[in-house]
């Protein structure tokens, strides 16, 4: 008997990456070892994403590949994560899947693997109001040992009309802050120098103490507690919601040098009509005010965003409003998407997906072209500045060069000069592309 080998593929957001680490930890305790070679695995897991149709299509393509593996040998295929939760038993219909496990079911994976047979597939898609995996130490998958994800909450209580996440991840719940701090201290003592606190909406983090209301903890307080672990531990977080990001969070960021000056603040659209239909619960004016507040407290704060092109009923004027907002803010970078209708969401039920495909694509391309210019302009403003970098790895293009990120999340490359991954160095920015700052050690 050899140890059973598990291979895992991860799709979707950072939270899914962290969930894969939680699964690996649970499986390790049950006697499984991780393999990075799919042909060698006894168990293949795909931790999946449902956010847009193309994300799911990609996974269907992978399931076909897994079917080929299954023809060759005895191997168990499990689909976990958001697509498992969304499609449930339907995933079994393709006859290539043995296990379907939703985001709150990972503690039951060892039992499901034990019980599964070709005639007895296993499905657990129960969502929980309590599960935060707070006692589980994720088995880190990052290669560099520098930056660790820590989930501080699960689920989402917002009802953005386009979004599938509340259906796949269930209700919002916050994790006990003591377990978060313990985990951050633990990774720091293992050499990590950066933690990224994760939640769909970190600003609504709230721990209600069972003992006394005095012990309740909100996100600003959590951020401060993690920042106090050590000045040598950098703190990042994602994602902030424009309707919830508080002045306290902004002031806490300004107060601690080791809280990185970067906020990912998804705007989605610059048109009030679209924001209303999207149920984002803020206006263009509110968003711009939040940006002004951030910049007055933290003048050099990096601000990045997400944008959706071609939401239901979007007019040319709505689209122009998005472009003008992007220009006004001057985002440092952005993730940009074409609207993809998700079954079961409010938008799918209420609003026709009526912007023609070619119009969506054209608008998205205009958004991308604008952002490329804004990113380049933002990077050009860095030239001549000195930035503190946490070294994350060796440059892919040149082995003699290292790369790392500045607090504002910009990637810098520079000649190694004998430095190592995990060290902090100061670099001066010499030139740039729209994606990278070319720098030298100072
Ligand atoms: N919780 C985060 C985002 C989670 S999803 C937040 O509220 O900002 C990441 C991004 O995917 C979203 O910000 C949005 O821009 C995009 N997205 C979500 N649903 C989408 C859909 N149906 N079609 C296209 N993009 C979508
Ligand atoms: Fe989706 Fe909105 Fe929740 Fe973000 S805040 S996960 S976009 S419902
Ligand atoms: Fe995707 Fe689920 Fe994350 S839908 S973006 S993996 S929460």
């Amino acid at each position: 008997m050899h140890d059973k080998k598990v291979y895992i593929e991860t799709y979707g957001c950072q939270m899914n990456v962290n969930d894969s680490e939680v699964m690996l930890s649970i499986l390790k305790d049950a006697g499984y070892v991780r393999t990075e070679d799919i042909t060698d695995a006894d168990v293949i897991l795909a931790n999946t994403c449902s956010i847009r149709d193309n994300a799911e299509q990609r996974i269907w393509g992978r399931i076909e590949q897994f079917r080929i593996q299954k023809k060759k040998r005895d191997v168990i295929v499990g689909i976990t994560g958001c697509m498992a939760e969304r499609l449930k038993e339907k995933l079994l219909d393709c006859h290539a899947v043995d296990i379907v496990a939703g985001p709150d079911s990972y503690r039951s994976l060892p039992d499901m693997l034990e019980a599964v047979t070709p005639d007895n597939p296993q499905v657990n898609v129960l969502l929980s109001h309590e599960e935060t995996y707070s006692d589980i130490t994720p088995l880190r998958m990052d290669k560099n040992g520098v930056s660790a994800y820590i989930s501080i909450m699960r689920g989402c209580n917002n009802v953005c009309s386009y979004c599938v996440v509340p259906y796949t991840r269930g209700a919002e719940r916050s994790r006990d802050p003591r377990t978060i701090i313990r985990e951050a201290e633990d990774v720091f003592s293992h050499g990590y120098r950066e933690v990224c606190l994760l939640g769909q909406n970190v600003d609504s983090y709230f721990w209600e103490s069972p003992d006394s209301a005095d012990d309740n903890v909100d996100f600003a307080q959590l951020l401060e507690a993690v920042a106090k672990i050590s000045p040598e531990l950098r703190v990042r977080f994602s994602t902030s919601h424009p309707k919830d990001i508080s002045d306290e969070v902004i002031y806490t960021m300004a107060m601690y040098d080791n809280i990185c000056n970067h906020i990912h603040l998804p705007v989605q659209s610059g048109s009030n009509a679209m924001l209303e239909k999207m149920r984002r619960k803020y206006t263009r004016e509110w968003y711009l005010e939040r940006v002004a507040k951030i910049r007055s407290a933290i003048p050099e704060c990096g601000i990045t965003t997400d944008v959706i092109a071609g939401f239901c009923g979007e007019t040319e004027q709505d689209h122009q409003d998005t472009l003008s907002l992007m220009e006004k803010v001057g985002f440092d970078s952005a993730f940009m998407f074409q609207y993809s209708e998700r079954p079961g969401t409010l938008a799918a039920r209420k609003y026709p997906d009526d912007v023609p495909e070619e119009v969506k694509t054209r608008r998205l391309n205009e958004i991308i072209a604008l952002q490329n210019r804004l990113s380049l302009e933002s990077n050009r403003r860095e030239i001549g500045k000195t930035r503190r970098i946490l070294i994350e790895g060796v440059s892919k293009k040149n082995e003699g060069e290292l790369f790392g990120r500045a607090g504002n999340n910009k990637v810098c490359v520079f000649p190694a000069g004998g430095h190592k991954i995990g060290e902090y160095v100061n670099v001066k920015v010499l030139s740039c592309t729209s994606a990278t700052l070319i720098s030298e050690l100072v």
Side-chain angles (χ1 to χ4, degrees):
M1 274 296 285
H2 66 93
D3 280 339
K4 293 240 165 159
K5 290 186 185 146
V6 54
Y7 166 91
I8 191 160
E9 261 175 25
T10 310
Y11 299 85
C13 59
Q14 296 160 321
M15 263 158 285
N16 240 22
V17 174
N18 191 231
D19 278 5
S20 289
E21 298 178 327
V22 164
M23 281 188 252
L24 286 173
S25 172
I26 290 168
L27 290 171
K28 180 174 173 252
D29 287 346
Y32 291 83
V33 293
R34 181 181 175 211
T35 173
E36 291 185 60
D37 176 7
I38 191 169
T39 61
D40 188 36
D42 301 291
V43 180
I44 297 172
L45 296 178
N47 192 14
T48 61
C49 174
S50 288
I51 200 82
R52 284 167 291 273
D53 185 57
N54 57 13
E56 290 198 354
Q57 292 312 323
R58 231 175 113 201
I59 291 151
W60 282 116
R62 284 305 288 160
I63 291 174
E64 283 315 304
Q65 299 291 310
F66 301 157
R67 188 199 298 284
I68 296 170
Q69 293 287 323
K70 278 178 87 74
K71 279 201 181 123
K72 291 187 193 150
R73 67 212 167 83
D74 244 355
V75 57
I76 297 168
V77 171
I79 302 297
T80 68
C82 290
M83 204 171 153
E85 192 61 47
R86 194 178 85 72
L87 293 172
K88 303 185 169 59
E89 287 82 3
K90 276 182 240 156
L91 273 167
L92 300 175
D93 296 347
C94 67
H95 298 287
V97 172
D98 306 290
I99 289 177
V100 178
D104 289 342
S105 76
Y106 300 148
R107 285 180 202 269
S108 72
L109 274 175
D111 289 342
M112 294 168 86
L113 284 163
E114 194 69 33
V116 71
T117 65
D119 306 319
N120 188 22
Q122 301 287 307
V123 178
N124 183 348
V125 288
L126 283 178
L127 286 172
S128 156
H129 284 279
E130 288 92 32
E131 181 63 274
T132 57
Y133 302 110
S134 63
D135 56 318
I136 290 170
T137 306
L139 196 77
R140 305 280 163 198
M141 291 194 300
D142 60 275
K143 296 242 159 60
N144 59 19
V146 174
S147 184
Y149 290 137
I150 300 183
S151 294
I152 61 166
M153 59 209 293
R154 298 182 71 81
C156 184
N157 276 0
N158 294 308
V159 275
C160 303
S161 60
Y162 51 82
C163 185
V164 77
V165 171
Y167 306 91
T168 63
R169 296 249 158 192
E172 179 187 290
R173 62 222 98 125
S174 294
R175 177 176 169 190
D176 185 334
R178 288 163 299 190
T179 70
I180 297 169
I181 290 158
R182 209 181 301 137
E183 190 171 324
E185 286 170 345
D186 181 61
V187 294
F188 183 65
S189 74
H190 283 89
Y192 284 81
R193 289 297 170 262
E194 181 175 280
V195 292
C196 184
L197 308 178
L198 299 178
Q200 290 297 352
N201 177 1
V202 289
D203 302 294
S204 66
Y205 174 88
F206 191 74
W207 172 255
E208 235 180 308
S209 166
D211 310 320
S212 144
D214 295 341
D215 298 335
N216 291 350
V217 178
D218 66 14
F219 183 58
Q221 292 165 321
L222 178 73
L223 201 53
E224 175 161 39
V226 178
K228 278 181 169 165
I229 291 173
S230 164
E232 292 299 300
L233 180 69
R234 271 186 173 185
V235 188
R236 295 185 184 276
F237 54 88
S238 190
T239 303
S240 302
H241 196 301
K243 80 173 160 66
D244 294 319
I245 186 164
S246 67
D247 291 353
E248 285 71 30
V249 166
I250 297 169
Y251 295 143
T252 306
M253 290 178 72
M255 226 154 64
Y256 289 87
D257 284 344
N258 58 329
I259 304 179
C260 290
N261 289 341
H262 170 224
I263 300 180
H264 186 63
L265 198 65
V267 68
Q268 314 301 359
S269 171
S271 147
N272 280 336
M274 289 297 106
L275 289 170
E276 164 95 41
K277 252 182 162 174
M278 288 174 166
R279 309 252 158 146
R280 289 290 286 180
K281 306 212 171 93
Y282 55 83
T283 59
R284 172 190 177 93
E285 293 72 28
W286 171 276
Y287 188 91
L288 290 171
E289 186 281 328
R290 289 287 80 192
V291 168
K293 180 81 206 184
I294 293 164
R295 291 210 166 127
S296 77
I298 315 165
E300 295 208 308
C301 193
I303 301 181
T304 58
T305 201
D306 295 347
V307 181
I308 298 176
F311 186 59
C312 311
E314 187 187 71
T315 64
E316 210 49 43
Q317 185 55 49
D318 294 323
H319 169 59
Q320 289 303 323
D321 289 350
T322 296
L323 294 174
S324 77
L325 179 132
M326 291 172 67
E327 184 95 55
K328 227 177 181 137
V329 176
F331 290 112
D332 297 291
S333 77
F335 296 111
M336 298 154 284
F337 313 102
Q338 222 167 281
Y339 172 59
S340 164
E341 186 177 86
R342 309 311 295 128
T345 57
L346 194 71
R349 283 179 276 139
K350 255 186 102 167
Y351 310 122
D353 179 12
D354 55 0
V355 177
E357 195 64 20
E358 65 276 12
V359 176
K360 279 187 190 170
T361 307
R362 196 249 307 149
R363 288 180 187 166
L364 178 62
N365 286 337
E366 288 175 12
I367 288 168
I368 292 171
L370 171 58
Q371 186 54 49
N372 283 343
R373 170 163 71 75
L374 295 176
S375 299
L376 187 60
E377 285 171 9
S378 148
N379 280 354
R380 283 201 181 125
R381 288 193 292 271
E382 294 285 304
I383 294 173
K385 289 186 178 153
T386 297
R387 294 286 183 211
R388 191 169 193 237
I389 302 298
L390 174 59
I391 305 175
E392 289 179 32
V394 177
S395 158
K396 281 196 190 95
K397 290 196 189 128
N398 181 344
E399 269 186 34
E401 292 191 334
L402 297 169
F403 74 90
R405 275 177 303 155
N408 61 11
N409 213 36
K410 289 184 187 286
V411 175
C412 300
V413 292
F414 52 91
H419 288 284
K420 290 192 193 64
I421 294 170
E423 287 176 19
Y424 288 104
V425 288
N426 286 323
V427 301
K428 188 175 167 190
V429 182
L430 302 174
S431 63
C432 68
T433 67
S434 65
T436 321
L437 303 179
I438 294 122
S439 325
E440 65 177 9
L441 288 159
V442 293

